[in-house]
């Protein structure tokens, strides 16, 4: 019984086969072909050594074999099903790929067709432009006029056509047509040139280089007055051509400025509103080049602009021109000698509904106050202080900075004015350190010590009086500003306003 028990245990748990020893490196290994429940059942049968043990053992082997076979069948069926599914999905993917390929092919075909159409269209347009330019070569005034009208139409809104027409050589014959006395040919040529220069600096330079400026002035200076429509077209061309910086000195020195001023003033009432606006804008373009200011001052433009400054529609452009004029010494002098120039400019500082005009007017006054002492006195007499104080509180940021700078210039002048009231030598003696011993009664300039002390007392009294007047003026101006701005009566000035009373000797113009 014990032997049977030992043999069954050995046959169940240990495997002594040579293959097992070889694979396990000569060591025994556990048999892992049955579950925990089956292991318990086999232990029970081995202990009992009954015949049913073998039967059950074989039954379990059969059951295990059957289960394995069933599992194999199930796995095989599952694999077959998955294979079928993969085949179906591959077919679907193949159809999808074919569909995408066909769609991509269609898109490529459409794109190629569109490219062919676009290319054909461009070729046709190029051929048309070539035909138009060739018509200028025909010695026929009618053909040239038709070609000019065609160029005007083609280049009106097509930037590529402007470039192509210029490359094909359309500009020289159009400029040559200005020598023709026929008014219609002149108008057609002028507007064709105008459209060719829109947004194209190279064409603007080419038009001037071809002699268009001098030919236009020749039409203007002819014995018979030019047709109003021709004059309007010439003004428009000067506006377009003057927008290019390289053309500004050429046009300014050619004699075009007096013509533009005449068109702007319109004393004969022949200029249209559009021509006046174009002339004003062309004069602004030309005033940007400082060398043209001398040509502008030879005309009556500055007085005309100052008298028109109240017109809100053109005031911003007028102030822009005056700003460019004020950048030169002769321009500042021309503005300052004009009667009521400063009252007019100071009045602009009160245009609260036009901040841009306030900024431009304050710039002109700032430049003039920075450069000339006499202009500062004229500004004070015109009542600029109250307007500047109001601007420092209610103006735009740029206008506030410029107003503050002007106030600094005016405060510096007050100190200079006090010293100058006692003579230049005295001022020099007061400002310079006194040399020599303390017992000396005179300084190197010959001014006695008693005179210096008396002068100091007088200057102290003068400074006190000036300071008192300034304080009174500030208080009166503050009440006016508070009233105009609808601020509370107990309004307290800001630190920025208080800082305006601080001294400064800065001479720069950062704004």
């Amino acid at each position: 019984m014990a032997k049977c028990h030992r043999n069954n245990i050995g046959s169940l748990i240990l495997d002594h086969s040579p293959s097992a020893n070889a694979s396990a490196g000569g060591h025994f290994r556990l048999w892992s072909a049955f579950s925990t429940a089956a292991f318990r059942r086999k232990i029970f049968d081995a202990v009992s050594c009954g015949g049913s043990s073998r039967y059950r053992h074989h039954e379990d082997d059969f059951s295990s074999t059957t289960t394995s076979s069933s599992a194999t069948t199930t796995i095989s069926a599952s694999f077959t099903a998955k294979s079928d599914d993969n085949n179906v999905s591959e077919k679907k993917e193949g159809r999808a790929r074919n569909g995408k390929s066909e769609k991509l092919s269609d898109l490529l075909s459409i794109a190629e067709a569109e490219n062919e159409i676009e290319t054909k269209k461009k070729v046709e347009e190029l051929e048309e432009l070539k035909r138009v330019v060739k018509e200028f070569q025909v010695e026929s005034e009618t053909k040239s006029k038709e070609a000019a009208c065609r160029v005007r139409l083609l280049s009106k809104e097509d930037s590529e056509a402007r470039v192509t027409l210029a490359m094909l050589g359309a500009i020289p014959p159009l400029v040559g047509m200005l020598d023709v006395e026929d008014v219609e040919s002149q108008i057609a040529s002028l507007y064709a040139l105008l459209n060719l220069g829109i947004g194209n600096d190279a064409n603007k330079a080419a038009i001037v280089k071809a002699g268009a400026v001098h030919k236009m002035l020749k039409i203007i200076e002819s014995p018979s007055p030019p047709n109003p429509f021709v004059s309007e077209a010439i003004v428009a061309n000067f506006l377009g051509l003057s927008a290019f910086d390289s053309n500004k000195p050429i046009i300014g020195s050619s004699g075009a400025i007096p013509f533009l001023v005449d068109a702007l003033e319109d004393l004969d009432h022949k200029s249209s509103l559009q021509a006046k606006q174009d002339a004003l804008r062309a004069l602004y373009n030309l005033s940007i080049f400082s060398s043209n200011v001398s040509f502008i001052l030879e005309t009556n433009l500055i007085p005309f602009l100052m008298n028109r400054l109240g017109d809100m529609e053109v005031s911003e452009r007028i102030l822009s021109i005056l700003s460019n004029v004020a950048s030169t010494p002769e321009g500042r002098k021309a503005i300052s000698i004009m009667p009521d120039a400063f009252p007019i400019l100071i009045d602009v500082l009160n245009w609260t509904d036009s901040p841009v005009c306030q900024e431009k007017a304050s710039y002109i006054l700032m430049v003039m106050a920075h450069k000339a002492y006499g202009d500062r006195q004229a500004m004070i007499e015109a009542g600029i202080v109250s307007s500047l104080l109001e601007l420092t509180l209610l103006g735009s940021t740029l206008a506030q900075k410029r107003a503050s700078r002007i106030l600094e210039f005016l405060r510096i002048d007050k100190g200079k004015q006090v010293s100058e009231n006692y003579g230049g030598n005295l001022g020099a003696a007061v400002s310079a350190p006194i040399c020599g011993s303390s017992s000396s009664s005179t300084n190197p300039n010959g001014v006695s010590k008693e005179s210096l002390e008396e002068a100091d007392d007088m200057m102290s009294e003068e400074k006190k009086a000036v300071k008192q007047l300034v304080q009174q003026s500030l208080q009166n101006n503050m009440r006016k500003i508070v009233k105009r701005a609808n601020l509370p009566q107990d309004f307290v000035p800001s630190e920025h306003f208080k800082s305006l009373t601080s001294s400064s000797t800065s001479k720069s113009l950062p704004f």
Side-chain angles (χ1 to χ4, degrees), residues 135-197:
E135 290 182 0
F136 287 114
Q137 301 174 1
V138 180
E139 296 182 358
S140 172
E141 186 175 315
T142 303
K143 288 289 185 182
S144 298
K145 182 168 59 177
E146 292 177 354
C149 293
R150 190 61 182 161
V151 170
R152 174 185 178 183
L153 181 62
L154 293 172
S155 60
K156 184 177 181 180
E157 297 179 354
D158 191 346
S159 59
E160 294 182 1
R162 296 171 198 148
V163 176
T164 305
L165 286 168
M167 292 177 63
L168 292 174
I171 291 177
L174 286 172
V175 174
M177 288 179 62
L178 297 177
D179 294 329
V180 180
E181 296 182 357
D182 180 62
V183 174
E184 293 183 356
S185 297
Q186 291 176 350
I187 293 175
S189 173
L190 287 169
Y191 282 109
L193 291 171
L194 177 65
N195 289 348
L196 285 174

Side-chain angles (χ1 to χ4, degrees), residues 200-490:
N200 193 311
D201 291 341
N203 287 359
K204 291 175 183 176
I207 292 170
V208 171
K209 188 175 181 180
V213 173
H214 298 287
K215 290 183 181 295
M216 289 189 290
L217 291 175
K218 184 178 178 181
I219 296 174
I220 295 168
E221 296 169 356
S222 61
S224 59
N227 183 282
F229 296 103
V230 175
S231 298
E232 184 174 346
I234 291 175
V235 171
N237 270 274
F238 279 137
L239 170 59
L241 296 175
S242 63
F244 183 47
D245 290 341
S246 298
N247 291 341
K248 287 179 173 63
I250 299 174
I251 298 174
S253 60
S254 66
I257 290 177
F259 164 72
L260 293 172
V261 173
D262 291 340
L264 178 62
E265 295 180 353
D266 191 24
L267 299 178
D268 298 331
H269 302 286
K270 293 182 179 180
S271 299
S272 63
L273 178 61
Q274 183 64 48
K276 293 179 182 179
Q277 294 176 350
D278 291 346
L280 184 63
R281 294 168 62 190
L283 288 169
Y284 166 71
N285 289 341
L286 295 174
S287 69
I288 295 174
F289 190 72
S290 58
S291 297
N292 289 334
V293 173
S294 58
F295 300 112
I296 292 175
L297 297 179
E298 294 175 0
T299 66
N300 193 42
L301 181 61
I302 301 302
F304 175 80
L305 294 179
M306 295 297 294
N307 292 328
R308 290 291 305 275
L309 198 53
D311 189 351
M312 297 295 292
E313 294 183 0
V314 297
S315 292
E316 183 178 344
R317 187 73 62 182
I318 290 174
L319 290 168
S320 298
I321 296 175
L322 293 176
S323 298
N324 294 331
V325 172
S327 64
T328 63
E330 59 270 23
R332 291 190 293 272
K333 183 178 180 181
I335 294 174
S336 62
I337 63 176
M338 181 185 169
D340 299 328
F342 291 110
I344 292 173
L345 291 172
I346 292 170
D347 183 62
V348 179
L349 299 179
N350 300 321
W351 292 1
T352 56
D353 55 340
S354 181
V356 177
C357 290
Q358 287 181 323
E359 294 171 358
K360 293 182 181 298
S362 62
Y363 174 80
I364 297 170
L365 293 168
M366 181 182 67
V367 173
M368 299 185 73
H370 174 68
K371 297 294 184 180
Y373 168 75
D375 292 342
R376 301 174 194 172
Q377 295 300 313
M379 293 177 190
I380 294 174
E381 294 173 1
I384 192 176
V385 176
S386 59
S387 298
L388 292 175
L389 292 173
E390 182 176 354
L391 199 60
T392 56
L393 293 175
L394 305 177
S396 64
T397 302
L398 184 57
Q400 288 178 0
K401 292 180 179 179
R402 290 173 176 173
S404 300
R405 183 51 56 89
I406 298 172
L407 286 172
E408 291 176 4
F409 296 148
L410 299 182
R411 283 199 303 274
I412 294 170
D413 272 349
K414 290 177 182 177
K416 290 183 179 180
Q417 184 178 7
V418 171
S419 63
E420 290 174 358
N421 288 337
Y422 300 97
N425 292 332
L426 177 61
V430 172
S431 60
I434 299 176
C435 300
S437 63
S438 59
S439 61
S440 176
S441 61
T442 61
N443 64 4
N445 292 322
V447 181
S448 65
K449 185 176 181 179
E450 291 78 7
S451 298
L452 290 175
E453 293 176 352
E454 183 180 357
D456 288 340
D457 295 337
M458 294 177 65
M459 288 182 65
S460 299
E461 294 297 328
E462 184 69 20
K463 288 181 179 180
K464 291 179 181 178
V466 170
K467 185 176 181 180
Q468 185 177 2
L469 290 175
V470 171
Q471 292 295 333
Q472 292 176 357
S473 177
L474 289 175
Q475 292 174 2
N476 293 332
N477 291 329
M478 178 58 67
R479 284 194 291 270
K480 292 179 182 179
I481 294 170
V482 169
K483 184 177 180 181
R484 290 185 60 180
N486 295 323
L487 297 174
Q489 295 300 320
D490 57 349

Side-chain angles (χ1 to χ4, degrees), residues 2-16:
K3 184 178 180 182
C4 178
H5 175 76
R6 187 169 51 251
N7 290 339
N8 286 333
I9 292 294
S11 64
L12 287 172
I13 299 177
L14 302 178
D15 189 354
H16 296 277

Side-chain angles (χ1 to χ4, degrees), residues 77-96:
S78 175
F79 179 77
T80 303
K82 288 183 179 180
S83 299
D84 294 338
D85 292 340
N86 290 335
N87 292 333
V88 172
S89 61
E90 288 179 358
K91 291 180 180 179
K92 290 182 178 179
E93 290 177 359
R95 288 195 296 268

